[in-house]
Amino acid sequence: MQKRNLLFLLSGLLTWQATRAQETIGYNAIWKKTTADSAEYIVTKTKTDSGWAVAIRYRSGAPDMMGLYADDSMKVQMGVFHWWNDKGVEFRSCTFDKGKATGPETFFDERGHVMLKGENFGGERTGTWTAYFPSGKVAGTAVYKAGKESSLVLFNEDGTPNKAGKVFEQDAEFPGGKTELLRYFNKSLKYPDYAVKHSIQGTVVVKFRVTRDGQIMDARVTYTTDKHLNAEALRVIREMPEWKPAVVGGQPREAIKIQPVVFKLE
C-alpha cells in the first residue's frame, strides 16, 4: 500500500511540474493579452533543456509560428523558426543564433512555392540571394555584403535578361509612403455619429491583400471594438488608391497587409 501511494504521489508531482513548465496565453490582434474565447492568437510556451519552445496558433487552431527562445521573454531566438499564414501555408523559415538571423532564410508565395532564399549572418543578408517565379525558374539574383545590395541581375521567365526591372525586392506600399497614408486617413476618416454620441473609441485592425497590380482586395476586420467603427475602417481601406505592389526578383507579387485604424475622441 505504501509503495502504491508513493507511486501515485510521484505521478502527481511529475504532472504538476510539467504543467508548471508550460504556459498558454491568448492575445488579440494588437498583441494584448486577452481571454481564450476572444483571442486571435494562442501562444504556448514549453520549457525544454535547450530553452523555451514556443508555438503560436491562430484562433482556428492552425499554426502561425514555431521556434525556440533562450527564455520565456521570447526575445532571443535560437535555431530554425517557421511561420504560416492563416490558410495553413508556410510563408517563411529562418535560422537564428543568439537572436540574430544567421544561416539560411526562405520565403514562400501564397501557394507554398519558394519565392526567395539566401543566407544571413549576424542579422544581415550576406552572399547571393535568389528569387524565383512560381514555376521554379530564377527571376533574379542579388549579392549582399554586410546587409547591403552590391549587385543585381534580373531575368524574364524565359531566361532572357529583364532590362525593365530595377528593384530586387520591396514591400507593398501606399503611394507616397507612410506619411501620405497618414494624411489619407486624416482626410478620409469620418467618425461615425453613433460612436460620437455614445463616446465609443478604440482601434480596428483590418487585414487586406494587395494584388500584383496594386488593387485592395479581401479586406476584413481581425480586431474590433464596435461595429460602427468597423464599417468606417473598412470603407476607408477599400477606397484607398492603388498601392505600389510588392516586388520580388523584379516581379510584382501579392502581399498581405495589416492596418490598425485608430478612433479617438478629443
Side-chain angles (χ1 to χ4, degrees):
M1 180 66 70
Q2 289 180 341
K3 185 175 180 181
R4 179 181 296 178
N5 288 340
L6 178 60
L7 288 173
F8 179 80
L9 177 61
L10 287 174
S11 175
L13 179 60
L14 289 173
T15 301
W16 177 82
Q17 288 177 334
T19 303
R20 186 183 182 190
Q22 186 177 79
E23 183 179 17
T24 299
I25 307 171
Y27 290 86
N28 60 28
I30 56 176
W31 283 98
K32 291 186 177 181
K33 291 182 181 180
T34 186
T35 57
D37 59 342
S38 60
E40 186 73 16
Y41 303 97
I42 305 296
V43 178
T44 301
K45 299 186 289 185
T46 305
K47 183 69 170 68
T48 72
D49 292 337
S50 303
W52 285 83
V54 175
I56 303 178
R57 306 189 315 275
Y58 292 99
R59 181 188 302 181
S60 65
D64 170 75
M65 188 279 290
M66 186 176 295
L68 184 71
Y69 288 87
D71 56 33
D72 64 351
S73 67
M74 295 174 58
K75 293 181 179 179
V76 181
Q77 298 154 299
M78 304 189 303
V80 181
F81 276 64
H82 299 273
W83 291 264
W84 293 264
N85 63 25
D86 55 7
K87 296 180 181 178
V89 178
E90 184 176 11
F91 67 85
R92 182 189 176 200
S93 67
C94 186
T95 303
F96 292 86
D97 181 39
K98 298 178 181 178
K100 293 184 178 181
T102 299
E105 182 173 17
T106 304
F107 293 89
F108 305 87
D109 66 16
E110 62 275 10
R111 292 185 176 87
H113 301 130
V114 174
M115 183 170 59
L116 177 67
K117 67 178 182 179
E119 295 272 337
N120 299 299
F121 181 77
E124 296 181 328
R125 290 186 176 184
T126 186
T128 300
W129 279 66
T130 305
Y132 298 88
F133 289 99
S135 64
K137 294 182 178 181
V138 174
T141 60
V143 176
Y144 289 85
K145 294 181 179 179
K148 295 183 179 180
E149 184 183 305
S150 62
S151 65
L152 169 65
V153 180
L154 300 174
F155 302 96
N156 297 311
E157 197 160 7
D158 62 4
T160 59
N162 176 5
K163 298 181 179 179
K166 304 297 181 184
V167 179
F168 183 66
E169 182 188 16
Q170 69 179 21
D171 195 6
E173 183 181 61
F174 185 88
K178 294 181 179 179
T179 300
E180 289 301 318
L181 177 59
L182 180 59
R183 185 174 287 116
Y184 168 78
F185 279 122
N186 288 338
K187 179 181 177 181
S188 304
L189 201 64
K190 299 177 181 177
Y191 218 111
D193 291 339
Y194 181 92
V196 173
K197 182 178 179 180
H198 293 83
S199 300
I200 299 172
Q201 54 186 351
T203 299
V204 178
V205 178
V206 180
K207 178 182 285 190
F208 59 94
R209 178 166 57 93
V210 181
T211 67
R212 290 176 174 84
D213 58 359
Q215 300 294 318
I216 306 301
M217 302 291 290
D218 304 330
R220 64 182 180 88
V221 172
T222 61
Y223 177 75
T224 179
T225 52
D226 175 75
K227 65 179 182 180
H228 301 87
L229 302 186
N230 291 354
E232 179 60 10
L234 286 171
R235 183 190 69 80
V236 294
I237 293 291
R238 289 167 176 164
E239 292 181 1
M240 287 191 295
E242 291 183 1
W243 280 44
K244 293 171 60 177
V247 173
V248 178
Q251 302 294 321
R253 303 292 179 105
E254 288 194 350
I256 300 297
K257 304 297 290 185
I258 297 175
Q259 180 63 53
V261 182
V262 179
F263 292 86
K264 186 175 182 180
L265 294 168
E266 297 297 334

